[in-house]
Amino acid sequence: MVAYIDIVTGRISVEDMGKTLIHEHFIFGYPGFTGDVTLGPFRKEEAVKAGMQAAIAVMKFGVKTVLDPTPNECGRNPEVLKEISKETGLQIICATGYYYEGEGATTYFKFRQSLGTAEADIFEMFMKEITDGIATTGIRPGIIKLATSKGEITSYERMFFEAAAKVHQETGIMLLTHTQEGTMGPEQARLLIELGVDPEKIVIGHMCGNTDINYQKKTLETGVKIGFDRFGIQKLVGAPMDKERITTLLQLLENGYEDQIMLSHDSINYWMGRPPVMNDNLATLVKNWHPTHVFENIIPELIRSGVSKKTLEKLFHL
Ligand SMILES: [Zn+2]
C-alpha cells in the first residue's frame, strides 16, 4: 500500500532505507527505571554521545538505516534519536507499541482493559502517533512494535495485535515483533495474517532464539520476514549461542529463505536507570553484544561457510 517509511527526521521511500540494521536500541530501560532515578538519572548528553558513536561505527560498515523498536514504556526517546540522526546522517526509525506482558508496564492498559476501552484506546494512540507524531515532537514512528510471552499470546498482548492490524489496514504501516525465548513465531505470523496484515509488512523478531528448523519454516512459509536479530546475546535472556544461530541461519539460506531474513543485535547502547552489572562469566558470554559484531565476526564466518556476497547484502535489506 505504501512505499514509504517514516524516519525520525521525516519520510523516505522504503528503497532509500539501504543497508539496514532491523533491531537495535539506542536507549532502553526495563519499566521501573523511573523509580531508580536517584542512582540512575537520565543523562541526555551521554545518551546522545554514545548514540553518535554507535551510529558512526555502523555507518563505517555501510549501514544507512537503523530501526530502534524501543517500546513506549521502555525509555523510548524520539528526540534523542532525532539528534543522533541529525548529527551523524544515519537514518533512524522509531516505534510505537508496548512490551510483552511479563516485562512491560502493564497496569495502565490493564486498568483500561477492565473498563472495556483498552483496545479502542490503543488503536487511537497508534493512529495519533503515526499521523501527527509522538507527544508534541512531530516525530512519527515508522513501525508498530508488538510482543508476546513465552509460549502464549496473552489477552493483554492480543489487544495490541488487534489494534495494530486495524491500523495497518488503514495506513500500511509495518509491524515488528518480539518473541520470547524462541516461542510463538508461527503463531504471531498466523494471527496477524488472519487479522488482515500483509505478510510482507511483518517482521517476526528474535527468531534466532530457536534452533529448530521446523519452527523457522513454519514461520517463513507464511511469507513474513524474520529477524535473526540477537547476535552477540549468548545465554542471557534464554538466548542460544551465536554458533547455534549460524548453524540455523545456514540451513535457512540453503533452503532459499535469504529474502526473508534480516540480521541485527538487539544491542542496548544506553540504559535507562543504572546499567546492569554482570559477573565475569556472563560478561564474557556477551562481550560481542554491540552493533558492529555481525560485520566484524559473523559475516566473515558466513563467507567462510560459502555464503555469497549477494546473499549477504539481502540480509540487511527489507
Ligand atoms: Zn529489542
Side-chain angles (χ1 to χ4, degrees), residues 23 25 145 206 266:
H23 195 133
H25 301 273
K145 170 77 178 279
H206 308 336
D266 199 10

Side-chain angles (χ1 to χ4, degrees), residues 13-38:
S13 75
V14 172
E15 267 175 27
D16 285 336
M17 285 173 71
K19 193 168 188 175
T20 299
L21 284 169
I22 199 75
H23 195 133
E24 310 291 345
H25 301 273
F26 284 97
I27 297 178
F28 181 89
Y30 283 114
F33 66 81
T34 47
D36 197 21
V37 287
T38 306

